[in-house]
Amino acid sequence: MTKDKKYIEYLLRNYKKKKSRLRILNLGLINEDDNILNGIDYSKDKIQTSNLTSLDDAIIKREEEIKRLEYEINIVEALLDSLDSRKDNQYRQLVENYYIENKTYTEVMPIINIYNRYHYFELCKKVLNEFLELYKNYKGKINPCHFVINIDE
């Protein structure tokens, strides 16, 4: 599996977490992952300076994380939108259930009406390969366009 294909699978599997994290950051909430400021450690004998610069760094880091999350969420949403042009929902159900909802393949197979494990994983490969081609065409762009996917037999 190529690096880009692994990245696409990573984006799909972590889509819900990234949307949640972006919402937390946009609302200005703080969770256990945020280490904005450290207090003064009185157990040390050395002179300690103000942590104002670390506050500036934390703000910059947070803004960069927001931009990265928005970019990654836009990629996933564009890939999902590309599935809307299909007449059947089989591919979208596969992506949403297997990758985004992290259901097992045994849970997803009856949903998409495939009962052979080999055909199921071939379909997964096919969808990821199409996503990879779309991603390569738009890699590096700040706001990925809405692609049109064509996964025909």
Side-chain angles (χ1 to χ4, degrees):
M1 195 179 289
T2 66
K3 183 179 174 181
D4 285 341
K5 195 182 278 190
K6 286 181 182 180
Y7 179 65
I8 291 169
E9 190 170 357
Y10 161 79
L11 291 178
L12 291 170
R13 291 202 180 274
N14 292 292
Y15 174 69
K16 288 172 67 174
K17 291 177 190 173
K18 290 180 181 295
K19 279 192 85 159
S20 172
R21 177 70 178 154
L22 181 62
R23 184 173 163 90
I24 287 170
L25 291 173
N26 284 335
L27 291 174
L29 303 175
I30 298 175
N31 66 7
E32 61 274 355
D33 295 337
D34 296 327
N35 294 322
I36 293 178
L37 295 176
N38 296 328
I40 296 175
D41 187 1
Y42 293 104
S43 64
K44 296 181 180 178
D45 290 334
K46 68 178 186 174
I47 297 174
Q48 297 180 16
T49 61
S50 168
N51 53 8
L52 188 56
T53 57
S54 65
L55 177 61
D56 293 340
D57 292 342
I59 291 170
I60 292 170
K61 181 180 174 186
R62 187 172 228 177
E63 288 174 358
E64 288 173 353
E65 184 180 3
I66 288 172
K67 286 179 185 176
R68 181 184 52 79
L69 288 170
E70 286 173 343
Y71 173 73
E72 291 175 342
I73 289 169
N74 284 339
I75 289 173
V76 173
E77 288 176 350
L79 292 173
L80 290 174
D81 288 347
S82 71
L83 295 174
D84 289 340
S85 64
R86 296 199 51 83
K87 292 179 181 173
D88 59 359
N89 281 343
Q90 187 179 39
Y91 298 107
R92 186 170 187 97
Q93 288 177 341
L94 170 75
V95 171
E96 287 179 352
N97 287 295
Y98 185 62
Y99 292 106
I100 295 175
E101 296 296 328
N102 291 314
K103 292 182 180 178
T104 64
Y105 74 91
T106 56
E107 294 173 307
V108 178
M109 285 173 58
I111 295 171
I112 61 173
N113 295 323
I114 292 181
Y115 299 96
N116 183 320
R117 189 170 43 177
Y118 172 78
H119 293 301
Y120 174 81
F121 287 110
E122 284 298 311
L123 184 64
C124 289
K125 279 194 238 178
K126 193 174 188 180
V127 170
L128 280 179
N129 286 334
E130 289 293 328
F131 280 174
L132 178 63
E133 289 303 315
L134 293 171
Y135 174 72
K136 283 181 180 178
N137 290 334
Y138 296 96
K139 186 176 178 180
K141 293 188 179 182
I142 302 290
N143 296 316
C145 302
H146 292 282
F147 330 116
V148 176
I149 191 167
N150 187 8
I151 308 176
D152 291 324
E153 311 258 337

Coordinates of all heavy atoms in Angstrom, one line a residue, residues 7 11 24 31 37-38 41 44 50 56 63 71 73 78 88 94 100 114 121-122 125-127 143 147:
Y7 N -2.5 7.3 3.8 CA -3.0 8.6 4.3 C -4.5 8.8 4.0 O -5.2 9.2 4.9 CB -2.2 9.7 3.6 CG -2.6 11.1 4.0 CD1 -2.4 11.5 5.3 CD2 -3.2 12.0 3.1 CE1 -2.8 12.8 5.7 CE2 -3.5 13.2 3.4 CZ -3.3 13.7 4.7 OH -3.7 14.9 5.1
L11 N -7.3 9.3 6.9 CA -8.2 10.4 6.9 C -9.7 9.9 7.0 O -10.5 10.4 7.8 CB -8.1 11.2 5.6 CG -6.9 12.0 5.4 CD1 -6.9 12.7 4.0 CD2 -6.7 13.0 6.5
I24 N -14.1 21.5 18.8 CA -13.6 21.9 20.1 C -12.7 23.1 19.9 O -12.8 24.0 20.7 CB -12.8 20.7 20.7 CG1 -13.8 19.6 21.2 CG2 -11.9 21.2 21.8 CD1 -13.1 18.3 21.6
N31 N -9.3 20.7 26.0 CA -9.4 19.3 26.5 C -8.0 18.8 26.9 O -7.0 19.6 26.9 CB -10.0 18.4 25.4 CG -9.1 18.2 24.2 OD1 -8.0 18.6 24.1 ND2 -9.6 17.5 23.2
L37 N -0.2 26.3 28.6 CA 0.8 27.0 29.5 C 1.2 26.0 30.6 O 0.5 25.2 31.1 CB 0.1 28.2 30.1 CG -0.2 29.3 29.2 CD1 -0.9 30.4 30.0 CD2 1.0 29.9 28.5
N38 N 2.5 26.2 30.9 CA 3.0 25.4 32.0 C 3.2 26.4 33.2 O 3.6 27.6 32.9 CB 4.4 24.8 31.7 CG 4.2 23.7 30.6 OD1 3.2 23.1 30.6 ND2 5.2 23.6 29.8
D41 N 7.7 26.3 38.1 CA 8.1 25.2 38.9 C 9.0 25.8 40.0 O 10.1 26.1 39.8 CB 8.9 24.2 38.0 CG 9.2 22.9 38.8 OD1 8.8 22.8 40.0 OD2 9.8 22.0 38.2
K44 N 12.7 24.3 41.3 CA 13.9 24.6 40.6 C 14.6 25.8 41.2 O 13.9 26.8 41.6 CB 13.7 24.7 39.1 CG 13.2 23.5 38.5 CD 13.0 23.7 37.0 CE 12.5 22.4 36.3 NZ 12.3 22.6 34.9
S50 N 8.9 34.5 32.2 CA 7.5 34.5 31.9 C 7.3 33.5 30.7 O 8.1 33.4 29.8 CB 7.0 35.9 31.5 OG 5.7 35.8 30.9
D56 N 2.1 32.6 22.9 CA 2.1 32.9 21.5 C 2.3 31.7 20.7 O 1.6 31.5 19.6 CB 3.2 33.9 21.2 CG 2.9 35.3 21.8 OD1 1.7 35.6 22.2 OD2 3.9 36.1 22.0
E63 N -3.8 27.5 15.7 CA -4.3 28.0 14.4 C -3.8 27.1 13.3 O -4.6 26.8 12.4 CB -3.8 29.4 14.2 CG -4.6 30.4 15.0 CD -4.0 31.9 14.9 OE1 -3.0 32.1 14.2 OE2 -4.6 32.8 15.6
Y71 N -8.4 21.3 6.3 CA -7.9 20.8 5.0 C -8.2 19.3 4.9 O -8.8 18.8 3.9 CB -6.4 21.0 4.9 CG -5.8 20.4 3.7 CD1 -6.0 20.8 2.4 CD2 -5.0 19.2 3.8 CE1 -5.4 20.2 1.3 CE2 -4.4 18.6 2.7 CZ -4.6 19.1 1.5 OH -4.0 18.5 0.4
I73 N -10.5 17.5 6.6 CA -11.9 17.3 6.5 C -12.4 17.6 5.2 O -13.3 16.9 4.6 CB -12.6 18.1 7.6 CG1 -12.3 17.5 9.0 CG2 -14.1 18.2 7.4 CD1 -12.7 18.4 10.2
A78 N -14.9 16.0 0.1 CA -14.9 16.0 -1.3 C -14.9 14.6 -1.9 O -15.6 14.3 -2.8 CB -13.6 16.7 -1.8
D88 N -26.2 3.8 -7.3 CA -26.4 3.0 -6.2 C -25.6 3.5 -5.0 O -24.6 4.2 -5.2 CB -26.0 1.5 -6.5 CG -24.6 1.4 -6.9 OD1 -23.9 2.4 -7.0 OD2 -24.1 0.2 -7.1
L94 N -20.3 1.5 1.9 CA -19.0 0.8 2.3 C -18.1 1.8 3.0 O -17.6 1.5 4.1 CB -18.4 0.3 1.0 CG -16.9 -0.3 1.2 CD1 -16.9 -1.6 1.9 CD2 -16.2 -0.3 -0.1
I100 N -15.4 5.1 8.0 CA -15.8 6.2 8.9 C -16.4 5.7 10.3 O -16.0 6.1 11.3 CB -16.7 7.2 8.2 CG1 -15.9 7.8 7.1 CG2 -17.2 8.2 9.2 CD1 -16.7 8.7 6.2
I114 N -23.1 -7.8 -0.2 CA -22.0 -8.7 -0.6 C -21.7 -9.7 0.5 O -21.6 -9.4 1.6 CB -20.7 -7.8 -0.9 CG1 -20.9 -6.9 -2.0 CG2 -19.5 -8.7 -1.1 CD1 -19.7 -6.0 -2.4
F121 N -13.3 -7.2 -0.1 CA -12.0 -6.5 0.0 C -11.5 -6.0 -1.4 O -10.8 -5.1 -1.5 CB -11.0 -7.4 0.7 CG -11.2 -7.5 2.2 CD1 -11.7 -8.7 2.7 CD2 -11.1 -6.4 3.0 CE1 -11.9 -8.8 4.1 CE2 -11.3 -6.5 4.3 CZ -11.7 -7.6 4.9
E122 N -12.0 -6.7 -2.5 CA -11.7 -6.2 -3.8 C -12.4 -4.8 -4.0 O -11.8 -3.9 -4.6 CB -12.1 -7.2 -4.9 CG -11.1 -8.3 -5.0 CD -9.7 -7.9 -5.4 OE1 -9.6 -7.1 -6.4 OE2 -8.8 -8.3 -4.7
K125 N -10.5 -2.2 -2.1 CA -9.3 -1.8 -2.9 C -9.7 -0.9 -4.1 O -9.0 0.1 -4.3 CB -8.6 -3.0 -3.5 CG -7.7 -3.7 -2.5 CD -6.8 -4.6 -3.2 CE -7.0 -6.0 -2.7 NZ -6.2 -7.0 -3.4
K126 N -10.8 -1.2 -4.7 CA -11.2 -0.4 -5.9 C -11.6 1.0 -5.5 O -11.2 2.0 -6.1 CB -12.4 -1.1 -6.5 CG -12.8 -0.6 -7.8 CD -13.9 -1.5 -8.4 CE -14.2 -1.2 -9.8 NZ -15.3 -2.0 -10.3
V127 N -12.3 1.1 -4.4 CA -12.7 2.5 -3.9 C -11.5 3.3 -3.5 O -11.3 4.4 -3.8 CB -13.7 2.3 -2.7 CG1 -14.0 3.7 -2.1 CG2 -15.1 1.8 -3.2
N143 N -8.1 24.2 -0.9 CA -9.5 23.8 -0.9 C -9.7 22.8 -2.0 O -9.9 23.2 -3.1 CB -10.4 25.0 -1.0 CG -10.2 25.9 0.1 OD1 -10.2 25.5 1.3 ND2 -10.1 27.2 -0.2
F147 N -14.8 16.3 -6.5 CA -14.4 15.5 -7.6 C -15.7 14.7 -8.0 O -16.6 14.6 -7.3 CB -13.4 14.4 -7.2 CG -12.4 14.9 -6.1 CD1 -12.3 14.2 -4.9 CD2 -11.5 15.9 -6.4 CE1 -11.4 14.6 -4.0 CE2 -10.6 16.2 -5.4 CZ -10.5 15.6 -4.2

